[in-house]
Amino acid sequence: MGAAFAYSFRDPALRELALSHRSTGARNNERLEFLGDALVGLFAAELLYARFPHADEGELTRWRSRMVNEGALATIARELELGDQLHLGPGELKTGGFRRDSILADAFEALVGACYLDGGFDACRNAVRAVFEPRVDEAVRAQEKDPKTQLQEMLQGRGLPLPVYDLIGSSGADHAKVFDVACVVDALGLRGNGRGSSRRAAEQAAAMAALAMIEAARDV
């Protein structure tokens, strides 16, 4: 395992279970992933709360979402080389499941859940914080980018096509025109709508709506 996850399992079978995708059979990592998902969110929130004492709830929520979304966790899993250690069924092996963001992110969360059961709260907290601490500033800086750039980088990080911006229409007098734009992300089956006093402003608003939809889907 990559050195970034600073924990050595006392029960190797628990670690192997964390790396066993549901395609391998009934004994898989889904329950551990459920547990790890809650722990990852907690430790990220705790880290942000301590690091930024003057940030409001909305800022903390957005930064946490950037730290624990599927793409971010899949990146961590790749750095830990979890893809090479996953146990997958024949179908997932054939289709390259070890490269898929959703499988990699779930495996990392399952590993965190297994770490908690194996070593307890403090050991798990220390291991996860060691992974997250170098990423805090990056998450905050990313929030400062405009929505179109954020969306583009998020999709590129997942290996997905870029969004398409469609002008729906415009209205109003020439000196006070309002533009309506749709941001279409076909790969995720979503469409964000935005309105602005220029086409660029409308595109930014539409991208922001699309980002909100992606983040809401992750939290479900």
Side-chain angles (χ1 to χ4, degrees):
M1 171 176 300
F5 196 75
Y7 182 77
S8 179
F9 278 85
R10 295 177 296 184
D11 181 1
L14 195 57
R15 178 180 174 278
E16 292 303 302
L17 180 61
L19 299 174
S20 298
H21 185 253
R22 67 173 179 269
S23 60
T24 60
R27 184 169 170 75
N28 59 61
N29 65 4
E30 287 189 327
R31 284 172 53 83
L32 287 173
E33 184 269 327
F34 167 80
L35 180 60
D37 176 70
L39 291 164
V40 165
L42 169 63
F43 296 139
E46 179 188 48
L47 188 59
L48 289 165
Y49 185 88
R51 179 77 69 87
F52 302 103
H54 302 298
D56 61 32
E57 185 262 351
E59 289 174 316
L60 294 171
T61 298
R62 289 192 296 273
W63 295 338
R64 180 182 60 182
S65 178
R66 296 204 167 278
M67 291 176 64
V68 305
N69 66 45
E70 183 178 280
L73 296 184
T75 296
I76 292 172
R78 290 188 180 96
E79 292 175 2
L80 297 174
E81 300 177 353
L82 296 189
D84 296 334
Q85 304 169 59
L86 287 173
H87 305 299
L88 301 170
E92 288 294 347
L93 279 172
K94 186 176 181 179
T95 58
F98 59 91
R99 292 190 296 264
R100 192 170 302 139
D101 276 10
S102 59
I103 290 178
L104 288 168
D106 288 350
F108 174 72
E109 290 178 334
L111 189 68
V112 171
C115 175
Y116 168 76
L117 294 178
D118 188 73
F121 185 86
D122 288 340
C124 182
R125 177 177 179 267
N126 291 338
V128 175
R129 283 176 67 96
V131 171
F132 278 153
E133 280 178 339
R135 304 170 192 275
V136 173
D137 292 337
E138 180 183 344
V140 173
R141 284 196 302 269
Q143 189 62 40
E144 296 173 353
K145 297 176 182 177
D146 65 82
K148 287 184 67 175
T149 300
Q150 291 178 41
L151 180 60
Q152 176 177 317
E153 292 182 355
M154 176 185 291
L155 295 175
Q156 287 177 327
R158 297 185 183 187
L160 299 175
L162 296 181
V164 175
Y165 293 91
D166 292 331
L167 178 63
I168 300 172
S170 60
S171 59
D174 288 342
H175 66 280
K177 195 173 286 293
V178 174
F179 295 85
D180 290 290
V181 168
C183 174
V184 182
V185 185
D186 282 332
L188 299 178
L190 61 85
R191 175 189 178 99
N193 294 323
R195 172 172 288 185
S197 57
S198 67
R199 181 164 180 171
R200 175 175 171 76
E203 288 178 351
Q204 295 287 6
M208 185 177 295
L211 282 167
M213 293 169 70
I214 293 171
E215 292 179 358
R218 173 62 187 165
D219 292 338
V220 172

